[in-house]
Amino acid sequence: MSVEKFSYDNKIVKYFIIATVVFGVVGMLVGLTIATQIFWPAANFNISWLTFGRLRPLHTNAIIFAFVGNAMFAGVYYSLQRLLKARMFNDMLSWIHFWGWQAIIAAAAITLPLGYTTSKEYAELEWPIDIAITLIWVVFGINMIGAILKRRERHLYVAIWFYIATFVTVAVLHIVNSMEVPVLMFKSYSVYAGVQDALVQWWYGHNAVAFFLTTPFLGLMYYYLPKAANRPVFSYKLSIVHFWSLIFLYIWAGPHHLLYTSLPNWAQTLGTVFSLMLIAPSWGGMLNGLMTLRGAWDRVREDPVLKFMVVAITAYGMSTFEGPMLSLKNLNAITHFTDWIIAHVHIGGLGWNGFMIFGMLYWLVPKMWGTKLHSTKSANLHFWLGTLGIIIYALPLYWGGVVQSLMWKQFTPDGFLQYANFLETVTKILPFYMLRLLGGSLYFTGVIFMIINLMKTAKAGSFIANEDAEAPALEKKVITGSTFHAALERKPIQFTILTLIVISIGGALEIIPTYMVESNIPTIASVKPYTPLELQGRDIYIREGCVSCHSQMVRPFRSETERYGEYSKAGEFVYDHPFLWGSRRTGPDLHRTGLGNKNAKPNSWHYTHMYDPRITSPGSIMPRYLWLHENTLDISSTPAKIEAMQTLGVPYPDGYAATANDDLRIQAEAIAADLNSGDIETSSDKEIIALIAYLQRLGTDINGEK
Amino acid sequence: MFKHYFEGAENIEVGPIISLIIFFVFFIGLLYWVIKADKEFINKMKDMPLDETSVDNNNLNKKD
C-alpha cells in the first residue's frame, strides 16, 4: 500500500476565522445598538438607516450568516480535511467560497440599513443577493462533496454527515423560501401569499435554526470536543441514532411558530407533536457530548476550551428543552410575541453557537500557529464574562416577557382589560431592557479579551499555512457482506441523496397540502386587492421594518379580541405578498387598525404619530419617522408593482398598471385634504400619505361581510 | 365560511400518519442496525478524530 504525501489547507481556515471574529464584533455591536434604542429611541439620531426596524434584520443576519456562518466554514474546512485525510477539493473553489460569502455579507450590510428587505425573517435579503447566496452555497457544496470523493478514509465520520445534511437542507430551504417575483433591482414580492407564505417562511425560519445553527455545530461538537478532551465520543452508536432522528424530525417543527394564528389547525398540531418528539434526539446529542467528558471532568476545571464547550452543550440542552415546551399551545399562548422568545434564541445564540465558536477558536488558533494559548487566565476571564453576560441577558427578558404577557391578559373584576393602554405594558418592562443591555455588554467585553488573546497567541507562533500529512491511498475494492449503514457511510453520493429524501418528506407533506387547501378556500368575497396607494404604503411599511415590532395577527383569545378587535382569518391575507404577521409585539398588533375597526385612528393621528410618537403616545419607544413626511413617494414603480402582483394572481383588471397612478393620486389627495382640514400642512405626494392609506386599510375588508 | 378552509384539509389526516409510519420503520431499522453493528467497526469510527495524520516535523502538536 503506497503512502501518499499531501498537505492540509490551513490558510482558508485562518481567513474564515478572521471573518468570524470581525463579523462577530460587527453583529454584536449592532445588537448592542438596537438594545439601547429599544429603551432610548433617540439613540438612532433620527437617521433612517439607524432605526430599529432596519438594524434588527442586520443584527440577526450578521450573527447568523456572518458570525456563525464563517465560524461554521472555518470549523468544517479544518475538520473535514483531517477526517477525510485529504485536502479540500479545489483551492480556487475554497477562495471563491470565502470571498463570495464575504461579498454577500457586505451587500447585506449595505442593503438592509437602506431598507431593501423582503421582510421575511432571516431571509430579508433581496433577490440579487439571494441568487448570489445560492451560487456560493453550491460552490461550498461542490468543494465539500469533491473533497469527500477524493478522500483517503473509507468511512465518513458522523461529523461529516452533519455537514452534508447542512449543505443539502440549507440549499432546499433557501431556494423554496426565496421564491419571489423581482419588481425592481432590489424589490421583489414573495410568490406565496398570506397563510402559505407564513407556513413556508416558518418552515424555513425554524429549519434555518436547525440546519444552519444546529446541525453544523453538532458536527463540530463531534469533532472538536473529542479533540479537546483527547478522548473519543461517548457513544458512536448514539450519534448515528441522534443524526437520523434529528434531521427527520426537525423539518416538521416549523408550524410551532404559528400557533393560534390563521394557519390550519392540523398543521399547528403537527408542529407541536414533532417539536415534542425532538426532545429525544436533541437530548441524545447533548448527553453524548457531556458524557464524552466522563472521567475527565477535572480537566474541565483547567482547560478553557472544555469549559466553553460544556456550557455550550448545556445551553443547547436548555434551549432544546425550552423549544418543545414553548410549542405546547398553553405555554405558547403566554410566551409568543413576548421577550421570552428573544431570551430563548439568545440562550441558543450566545450560549450554544457563541460558546462553541469560542471553544473552537481557543483550540484552533494555538494549533494552527504551532504554539500555546497566550493567556489561559484571560480565556477564563472571557468565560466568566460570557457566562454572566448570558445570564444577565436572558433572565430579565424571561421575567419581562412573562410580566408583559400577563399584563396583556389581565382583566378587571368587571370584565375590562386592566391595562387597556398597550403602552403601560411597555414602560413597565423598560428596566428589564436596560439589564439586557448590561448582559450583552459583558458578553461583548469577553469577546474583546478573546481577540487580544488570540492575536497575541498568533504573534507568538508562526502560522502553518500548509500542514504536511501522509496517508495511504484509498484502495478500490469491493466490500461484500457489510450492513446497510456501514455501506452507506462509504457512499457519499447515496448518503447525500438519502439525506435529501429524509428532509424532504416533512417539508413536502406540510407545505403541499397548504397549496391544495389554498386552492380550495372560497376567498372571502369582500376581501379585495390593495389600491395602488395602499400597495406603495405597504412597501414603505416593509422598508421601515415595522414588522420587527408590530404583528398583524389577532389571535382568538378574549384578551386579544377585547384589545384589538375581531380575530384574524386566513382568508383575509390572500393578497398579502409577503405576509406580515410578525413575531414580536414590541408595539401593539396592527391588524385591526384600519378605518371602522376597533383600533381605528384618524389620519391626523397617524401623521402626528409618525412625526413624533411621544406626542400622541407619551412614553412610547417607537422611533420618529421624520423622512416619511419629507420624502416624495416614488410612483414610477407603481405599474411594475401592479404587474408583478398580477403575475402572482392578484385580480387587478387587465391593463390596470397603466392607469393605477391615476387612482393613486385621487386617493392621496383625499387623505391630504383630510389632513389639511385638520391644520396639518402637507401635500398629497409624500410617503406618509401612502403609509396612512395602508394603515387605514388594515383588517377592514372583513367589515363588508357583516 | 371559514370552516370550508378546514373541510378542504380533511384528507390531510393521512399525511402525518404516513410520515409517522415511515419514520417508525426507518427508526426501528436504524436501531436494529445500530444494536447489531460490529463493535470493532464502531470503535474504529469512534477514534477517527483522534487519528493524527499530520507529519509533525517540529513536534508542534505534541501533547505535553
Side-chain angles (χ1 to χ4, degrees), chain A residues 96-336:
Chain A
I96 294 174
H97 175 202
F98 176 81
W99 287 112
W101 195 255
Q102 310 317 317
I104 288 165
I105 294 168
I110 295 167
T111 56
L112 290 175
L114 288 177
Y116 298 117
T117 171
T118 65
S119 87
K120 293 173 76 164
E121 280 182 67
Y122 328 126
E124 286 94 346
L125 299 174
E126 267 300 350
W127 67 273
I129 310 176
D130 279 341
I131 293 172
I133 293 172
T134 312
L135 295 176
I136 295 300
W137 194 255
V138 169
V139 168
F140 166 55
I142 295 173
N143 207 12
M144 177 165 73
I145 307 272
I148 294 175
L149 290 178
K150 63 167 207 176
R151 69 196 186 278
R152 294 184 182 79
E153 179 68 66
R154 193 165 302 278
H155 290 270
L156 301 181
Y157 181 67
V158 59
I160 302 173
W161 314 350
F162 278 102
Y163 302 159
I164 293 175
T166 301
F167 165 67
V168 171
T169 316
V170 170
V172 173
L173 292 169
H174 173 69
I175 292 170
V176 175
N177 192 43
S178 300
M179 286 293 169
E180 51 216 359
V181 171
V183 183
L184 306 168
M185 184 59 199
F186 281 104
K187 176 74 196 167
S188 64
Y189 291 128
S190 172
V191 299
Y192 318 103
V195 175
Q196 262 188 16
D197 196 36
L199 183 63
V200 173
Q201 157 60 26
W202 283 113
W203 166 79
Y204 163 88
H206 179 74
N207 289 303
V209 173
F211 288 88
F212 205 92
L213 302 175
T214 308
T215 53
F217 275 70
L218 287 168
L220 298 179
M221 175 187 90
Y222 276 122
Y223 179 79
Y224 290 94
L225 186 66
K227 276 299 217 193
N230 202 25
R231 52 185 55 227
V233 64
F234 168 65
S235 166
Y236 194 76
K237 291 184 174 185
L238 180 56
S239 71
I240 298 170
V241 179
H242 174 203
F243 173 79
W244 288 108
S245 4
L246 193 82
I247 68 161
F248 192 97
L249 297 180
Y250 237 131
I251 206 84
W252 289 86
H256 70 210
H257 290 257
L258 298 167
L259 298 181
Y260 287 112
T261 66
S262 308
L263 186 75
N265 249 328
W266 63 265
Q268 297 188 26
T269 307
L270 214 54
T272 301
V273 171
F274 276 88
S275 302
L276 280 175
M277 288 200 280
L278 257 176
I279 294 183
S282 302
W283 275 49
M286 172 194 72
L287 292 173
N288 213 359
L290 290 180
M291 294 290 272
T292 298
L293 293 167
R294 78 206 179 286
W297 284 95
D298 53 311
R299 292 200 33 224
V300 177
R301 225 171 24 216
E302 320 281 319
D303 187 353
V305 174
L306 290 179
K307 267 186 211 181
F308 274 109
M309 289 189 179
V310 165
V311 171
I313 297 166
T314 310
Y316 173 64
M318 281 161 61
S319 37
T320 53
F321 177 71
E322 201 187 347
M325 291 302 112
L326 294 173
S327 308
L328 293 171
K329 282 188 111 174
N330 47 2
L331 205 54
N332 190 277
I334 310 172
T335 54
H336 194 59

Side-chain angles (χ1 to χ4, degrees), chain A residues 8 12 21 70 114 133 161 178 180 186 229 242 285 328 380 456 543 555 605 611 633 669 700:
Chain A
Y8 295 130
I12 186 75
V21 173
N70 277 312
L114 288 177
I133 293 172
W161 314 350
S178 300
E180 51 216 359
F186 281 104
H242 174 203
L328 293 171
N380 281 329
K456 286 193 168 164
R543 181 187 78 194
R555 296 176 294 174
W605 186 93
Y611 179 76
L633 181 70
E669 270 155 28
T700 55

Side-chain angles (χ1 to χ4, degrees), chain A residues 272-466:
Chain A
T272 301
V273 171
F274 276 88
S275 302
L276 280 175
M277 288 200 280
L278 257 176
I279 294 183
S282 302
W283 275 49
M286 172 194 72
L287 292 173
N288 213 359
L290 290 180
M291 294 290 272
T292 298
L293 293 167
R294 78 206 179 286
W297 284 95
D298 53 311
R299 292 200 33 224
V300 177
R301 225 171 24 216
E302 320 281 319
D303 187 353
V305 174
L306 290 179
K307 267 186 211 181
F308 274 109
M309 289 189 179
V310 165
V311 171
I313 297 166
T314 310
Y316 173 64
M318 281 161 61
S319 37
T320 53
F321 177 71
E322 201 187 347
M325 291 302 112
L326 294 173
S327 308
L328 293 171
K329 282 188 111 174
N330 47 2
L331 205 54
N332 190 277
I334 310 172
T335 54
H336 194 59
F337 289 136
T338 75
D339 282 317
W340 184 293
I341 307 305
I342 319 293
H344 167 61
V345 299
H346 281 82
I347 294 287
L350 301 171
W352 166 238
N353 294 118
F355 270 34
M356 271 310 278
I357 292 171
F358 303 147
M360 191 176 84
L361 294 185
Y362 279 124
W363 185 84
L364 269 180
V365 170
K367 199 98 180 152
M368 285 169 45
W369 271 263
T371 180
K372 277 187 173 173
L373 186 64
H374 169 70
S375 164
T376 308
K377 226 175 175 176
S378 160
N380 281 329
L381 182 63
H382 174 198
F383 172 78
W384 284 110
L385 283 170
T387 308
L388 271 177
I390 296 173
I391 294 168
I392 298 176
Y393 182 104
L395 285 185
L397 288 190
Y398 283 131
W399 194 299
V402 174
V403 166
Q404 190 177 32
S405 173
L406 294 179
M407 287 175 85
W408 288 344
K409 288 177 180 292
Q410 186 64 46
F411 282 93
T412 63
D414 300 330
F416 297 105
L417 282 171
Q418 178 151 5
Y419 306 96
N421 182 358
F422 188 91
L423 249 180
E424 278 182 86
T425 75
V426 177
T427 46
K428 180 86 181 171
I429 59 170
L430 292 186
F432 298 110
Y433 286 151
M434 295 171 193
L435 278 173
R436 178 253 294 266
L437 178 64
L438 175 68
S441 307
L442 284 177
Y443 190 90
F444 182 71
T445 312
V447 172
I448 299 298
F449 276 102
M450 178 189 75
I451 294 171
I452 296 168
N453 200 357
L454 292 182
M455 282 171 74
K456 286 193 168 164
T457 307
K459 217 168 181 183
S462 69
F463 179 61
I464 310 159
N466 292 298

Side-chain angles (χ1 to χ4, degrees), chain A residues 649-679:
Chain A
V650 178
Y652 290 108
D654 284 342
Y656 186 59
T659 57
N661 271 332
D662 301 338
D663 285 354
L664 183 146
R665 285 192 201 94
I666 295 169
Q667 194 183 2
E669 270 155 28
I671 294 172
D674 176 59
L675 288 171
N676 292 339
S677 71
D679 281 345

